[in-house]
Amino acid sequence: LDASSGTTAVDSAGTLDGTLSGGPVWHPAGGKIGGALEFDGSDDRVSFGTPDIDAGPGLTLALWMRADDFGVSDARLISKAGSAAAQAHYWMLSTINGTGLRFRLRAGANTTTLATSTGEVQAGEWYHVAATYDGTTMRLYKNGVEVASTSKTGAIDTNGGVAAAIGNQPAGAGDNPFDGLIDDVRIYN
């Protein structure tokens, strides 16, 4: 998210360029690492197709975030989902109850939700947040420190017809918009 203009968020790995909608604003020098993208907490998102993580036991979602506020208490940072319902999520990293963090993952035909208590993140501060799954455990990290974990098994479910987005739910899957800056989004299998 280091661009300075336009409606395309270029994927540095070269495979999942995103399309901006709703009017997120580029901040070429305002990110944690280079530039960042500012979401308004209303209708902004970056859609990047219908990616699937290889059907296997590994996944990492990671990004830098700086919230302006928590007007939407369960704002999506990154999400692959068919609706806002828990079981409609394939993978998702979000806030919850305002200042908590949440990770949802569908594996073994069941979506599991892992959440922290409130107070993990505050408005106006940069945080590196990551969600990982290794085939036996889901984990949430803040600034490199594990803040929550739960047991989970099974291969990650895939569905090439379900879209993914940054900063909100995918288009047509409800609205849970984030208000603030997101930078350096990464997805690993």
Side-chain angles (χ1 to χ4, degrees), residues 88-180:
H89 285 82
Y90 284 79
W91 35 263
M92 181 265 291
L93 181 57
S94 75
T95 62
I96 184 64
N97 298 322
T99 59
L101 296 171
R102 178 174 57 182
F103 172 29
R104 284 184 174 153
L105 177 67
R106 185 172 181 82
N110 186 39
T111 300
T112 300
T113 299
L114 172 63
T116 69
S117 58
T118 59
E120 286 298 329
V121 293
Q122 302 300 318
E125 295 189 33
W126 280 106
Y127 297 94
H128 186 263
V129 295
T132 68
Y133 175 63
D134 63 8
T136 61
T137 307
M138 291 170 59
R139 292 181 173 89
L140 270 169
Y141 294 88
K142 179 186 78 177
N143 294 334
V145 176
E146 183 179 307
V147 292
S149 67
T150 192
S151 297
K152 171 87 174 161
T153 59
I156 297 168
D157 293 355
T158 61
N159 185 334
V162 174
I166 298 168
N168 201 338
Q169 283 286 95
D175 279 316
N176 294 85
F178 177 70
D179 187 359

Side-chain angles (χ1 to χ4, degrees), residues 61-93:
L61 305 172
L63 54 84
W64 285 94
M65 60 160 290
R66 190 187 86 193
D68 289 338
D69 64 50
F70 298 98
V72 174
S73 69
D74 60 344
R76 304 306 194 253
L77 301 169
I78 185 168
S79 176
K80 177 180 170 85
S83 77
Q87 291 298 316
H89 285 82
Y90 284 79
W91 35 263
M92 181 265 291
L93 181 57

